[in-house]
Structures are given as structure tokens and as C-alpha cells.
């Protein structure tokens, strides 16, 4: 994929993010990556890795978007915007709209 085409994909993803419904104003959540490896924080969904976060790191969800079947969250820490993370690896309190149970724990089968 050429650089121009990649940039067009990133810009399209970002424009979709701007059109998405913002998450409930900065929900406090926790990183919970079942692989045990640090969670990549990216410049855009599927974009360049900016940094990583350890399991248990507290983050605030500022915005979210779907890219295909994957949900991405734009996060901040201590009021500073950080970047995009894969939503399946972030656990938020009930009612926040983000995943409520860690992926490492199976769903209750009653």
C-alpha cells in the first residue's frame, strides 16, 4: 500500500471518529490485556505505535469508534490525550459503554 493510500485510510478513519458518538464524558477505565503484554497506544486505529500501557493502567475514554468489526478507544491519562487503543483490552465500569468483563474471564453461563 502506498503512503498516500495509507494516509487516505487513516484520514477516513479519523473523520469517522469525529462523526462517532463520544463516550460518556471521560469514563475512567483500566487496561486489561489478557496476553500479559503491554497494550499498544496508537496515533490512529491500526496506526503507528506511540507508546504502551501496562495492565492495570488507569485511562479515561475520551472517544470511541468502530473500524470494521473492531472497536477503538481514544484515551487520555491525567487529562492528557494519549492516543487510540483496541477497545477489547480496556475494562470500564458498568454503564460506561465499554467492555465490562475482562477478556481473560469467561462470560457467566447461567
Amino acid at each position: 500500500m502506498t503512503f498516500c493510500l495509507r494516509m487516505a485510510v487513516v484520514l477516513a478513519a479519523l473523520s469517522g471518529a469525529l462523526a462517532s458518538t463520544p463516550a460518556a464524558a471521560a469514563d475512567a477505565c483500566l487496561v486489561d490485556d489478557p496476553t500479559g503484554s503491554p497494550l499498544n497506544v496508537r496515533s490512529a486505529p491500526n496506526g503507528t505505535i506511540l507508546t504502551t500501557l501496562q495492565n492495570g493502567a488507569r485511562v479515561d475514554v475520551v472517544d470511541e469508534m468502530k473500524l470494521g468489526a473492531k472497536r477503538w478507544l481514544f484515551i487520555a491519562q491525567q487529562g492528557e490525550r494519549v492516543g487510540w487503543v483496541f477497545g477489547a483490552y480496556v475494562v470500564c465500569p458498568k454503564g460506561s459503554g465499554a467492555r465490562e468483563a475482562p477478556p481473560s474471564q469467561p462470560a457467566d453461563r447461567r
Side-chain angles (χ1 to χ4, degrees), residues 1-3 22 31 35 46 54 60 65 77 80 87 104 110:
M1 187 183 292
T2 67
F3 176 76
V31 171
T35 67
N46 293 322
Q54 297 297 322
D60 296 315
M65 70 174 289
Q77 283 189 306
E80 185 175 327
S104 54
R110 292 183 193 180

Side-chain angles (χ1 to χ4, degrees), residues 14-48:
L14 289 175
S15 67
L18 294 175
S20 68
T21 303
D27 293 325
C29 304
L30 296 175
V31 171
D32 184 30
D33 186 339
T35 67
S37 60
L39 179 62
N40 292 329
V41 179
R42 298 176 180 273
S43 59
N46 293 322
T48 305

Side-chain angles (χ1 to χ4, degrees), residues 14-96:
L14 289 175
S15 67
L18 294 175
S20 68
T21 303
D27 293 325
C29 304
L30 296 175
V31 171
D32 184 30
D33 186 339
T35 67
S37 60
L39 179 62
N40 292 329
V41 179
R42 298 176 180 273
S43 59
N46 293 322
T48 305
I49 297 170
L50 302 173
T51 189
T52 59
L53 296 171
Q54 297 297 322
N55 275 340
R58 180 178 215 100
V59 297
D60 296 315
V61 175
V62 177
D63 199 359
E64 62 182 277
M65 70 174 289
K66 276 196 127 180
L67 186 58
K70 295 183 179 179
R71 201 163 124 263
W72 291 85
L73 304 175
F74 189 78
I75 59 154
Q77 283 189 306
Q78 300 174 343
E80 185 175 327
R81 293 173 179 257
V82 181
W84 292 94
V85 296
F86 185 48
Y89 297 155
V90 175
V91 178
C92 298
K94 288 187 177 203
S96 67

